[in-house]
Amino acid sequence: MTVTTAGTARPARSRARSTGALAVFRRALRSPAGLAGFVIAVVVVAAGLLAPWLSPMAPEATDYANPLSGPSGLHLLGTDELGRDQLSRVLYGINASVLVGLASVVLAALVGVPLGLVAGYFPKVDRVISQLVDVMLAFPNLILAVGLAAILGPSAMNAAIALAVGAVPGFVRLIRGEVLRLRGLDFVSSAIAAGNTHTRILWRHILPNATSTLLVQISVAIPHAILGEAMLSFLGLGIRPPTPSLGIMLAGAQQYIETAWWLAVFPGLAIVALTLAFNLFGDALRDALDPKGRRR
Amino acid sequence: MNVLDVRDLSVEIPTETGHVLAVDGLSYSVGESEILAIVGESGCGKSVGVLSLLGLGPEHARVTGEVNYAGQNLLTRKPDALRRVRGQDIAYIFQDPMTALNPLMPVGKQVEEVLAQHASMSRAERRARVVELFELVGIPAAAERARAYPHQLSGGMRQRVMISMAIACGPRVLIADEPTTALDVTVQAAILEILKDLRDKLGMAIVLITHDMGVVADIADRVVVMYAGRAIEEGGIEQVFRRPAHPYTRGLLSAVPVPGQRAARARLRGIPGTVPVIAESVDACTFADRCGRADEACRSGRPPLAEAAGGTRVACRHPETKESNGE
């Protein structure tokens, strides 16, 4: 508490749960699943981001002496058909997946949040935006991403864009709903009555109160994007070989599935770990933001 | 000289089940540094009436009439011009200080926001002004309190913050919509005292919306009694309390306990029935159905506001003439 002087500064009514972004985050870490998810996510993401320093070999370096060799002291996770080190490739693959995943979510939020704000605040604009969002939602997300990636051409950036397009409607809907809720609250009415401009009200009063919800949406969207990236690369629509990507590695592992299990298992585990960790943490965040016990 | 002059204000609100006429030809004016109370039951249109003055009423509401402020009719002004009037010339205080502050922003910052919007001041000047304002409304340890979040303050303190926010830009009219309803009785008295004090110091006019006759008696100079969207009685505080002419005003006053009266005489009486919801302006007295003395004349023509014997202006065909204490 910052207020230390006695007397008039008693907490008026104990708020059951704070909905500030930081408080929600802390509460999410208090649940075992949330903590586990957070720790795994941090470890895996860090491993991916530090791939250039952690990986024992260059991911594209071939070792023709040891093609398709199982896990050993030299190659901890084995090698593929060209003798490339699996450990290094998995680390770089995580790196690529996380970067594409994050980029697509950030992109989707950058487009979706302003649209949602405007849609929730100005009923006339809302008609147009909501119609567009409905149209977009009519297409299954992954089909949309595949189609877009095919049109844009295979590259990491295009994969991120294709995945972002599919994620935008989720952000628009969510933020629009939050704005509709917040707009009816007294402090927004009183900000309007005090003559504040719409821009100021949206940025200073409404958006900050929507951040915790936004945080949850972001943490839920990340695993989707990571899976989506793996899928696009698997189909040859995402990152281009020889750059390692978890999806590409899985695609390559298909033909050796009976002889070289390690080719499919380790990239697969990496994908599972990433998505599971983000999902666990995202769920914990959502629980921490649960309206039960929360003042509406 | 009147600061605010409302002429024939009507507010029609479309709803799913048809139109509701929330305010029906309401006229009143507020003089320089005068405290005018608008009194009535819930649903009589008092809040909608004042919110509509600055385009803050319900969405899609049709507002007609004239709202004259500083020589201009506010109802015909563009939204952006209206926005500039809000907070700067005419400020509002809302009923529930618990929810009227942004929970994620320190209270001082919220007052600064209003200053940043309307006044060209540097950040340091704004900070200094906030402390000044907090001291003016009786917030102790003002500089420290400015950094507190709303949940760290009591209801009374929050209402003081709301008041300081409303007076930040030195408005000429302060509209307070049930400013004490959500507060304890003791805090209520303190807030009313602050409002009175501010009126004396800053010379602004105050329009006070309330359903509480006690609050009215405490601080108002003049009263407008509203019923079903219309003004039914208007007058100086003395006159209305001593010789209320409208049966409804009389009913309201006799529903308030008066300490010191003998139990038998002090029996509280309610008014039978409820406030009707009006769809369109009817050519009759809207109170007739709940009134003991209503007759054909009441049901066949809208009674005009006219001078009554007690010095108030009343919209009734059969006004009381006796003093209310004599009952």
Side-chain angles (χ1 to χ4, degrees), chain A residues 30-252:
Chain A
R30 239 175 268 154
S31 83
L35 185 64
F38 183 71
V39 170
I40 298 173
V42 166
V43 169
V44 178
V45 169
L49 295 182
L50 297 177
W53 295 276
L54 288 181
S55 35
M57 292 164 200
E60 282 128 36
T62 49
D63 178 1
Y64 289 115
N66 298 304
L68 289 175
S69 67
S72 66
L74 180 60
H75 300 288
L76 284 177
L77 301 184
T79 61
D80 65 6
E81 72 277 13
L82 298 176
R84 293 178 295 195
D85 184 58
Q86 278 280 322
L87 175 58
S88 308
R89 290 181 66 75
V90 167
L91 288 175
Y92 272 94
I94 292 172
N95 187 332
S97 293
V98 167
L99 287 184
V100 170
L102 286 181
S104 81
V105 171
V106 167
L107 215 60
L110 282 181
V111 177
V113 170
L115 283 178
L117 282 176
V118 172
Y121 198 76
F122 302 105
K124 278 182 190 156
V125 190
D126 183 31
R127 290 212 193 120
V128 180
I129 294 179
S130 284
Q131 290 285 330
L132 282 174
V133 164
D134 284 344
V135 169
M136 286 181 70
L137 283 173
F139 295 98
N141 248 343
L142 294 180
I143 307 277
L144 188 69
V146 168
L148 278 170
I151 294 169
L152 294 171
S155 83
M157 195 56 211
N158 288 345
I161 293 173
L163 291 167
V165 170
V168 165
F171 280 97
V172 176
R173 279 242 168 140
L174 181 94
I175 295 297
R176 171 179 174 271
E178 276 294 283
V179 176
L180 286 178
R181 177 178 75 81
L182 292 164
R183 203 170 60 124
L185 296 186
D186 284 356
F187 71 84
V188 175
S189 316
S190 98
I192 295 173
N196 287 294
T197 51
H198 295 313
T199 330
R200 188 181 283 270
I201 289 166
L202 276 173
W203 285 106
R204 306 281 285 157
H205 293 290
I206 291 183
L207 188 59
N209 279 286
T211 41
S212 20
T213 317
L214 181 62
L215 206 73
V216 173
Q217 174 70 11
I218 286 176
S219 69
V220 172
I222 288 174
H224 276 282
I226 289 174
L227 263 184
E229 187 279 324
M231 181 204 64
L232 288 180
S233 300
F234 182 87
L235 295 175
L237 294 168
I239 292 165
R240 304 183 76 160
T243 312
S245 142
L246 298 176
I248 293 173
M249 293 171 74
L250 280 181

Side-chain angles (χ1 to χ4, degrees), chain B residues 13-27:
Chain B
I13 305 166
T15 66
E16 280 165 28
T17 50
H19 289 264
V20 171
L21 191 62
V23 180
D24 181 9
L26 180 66
S27 300

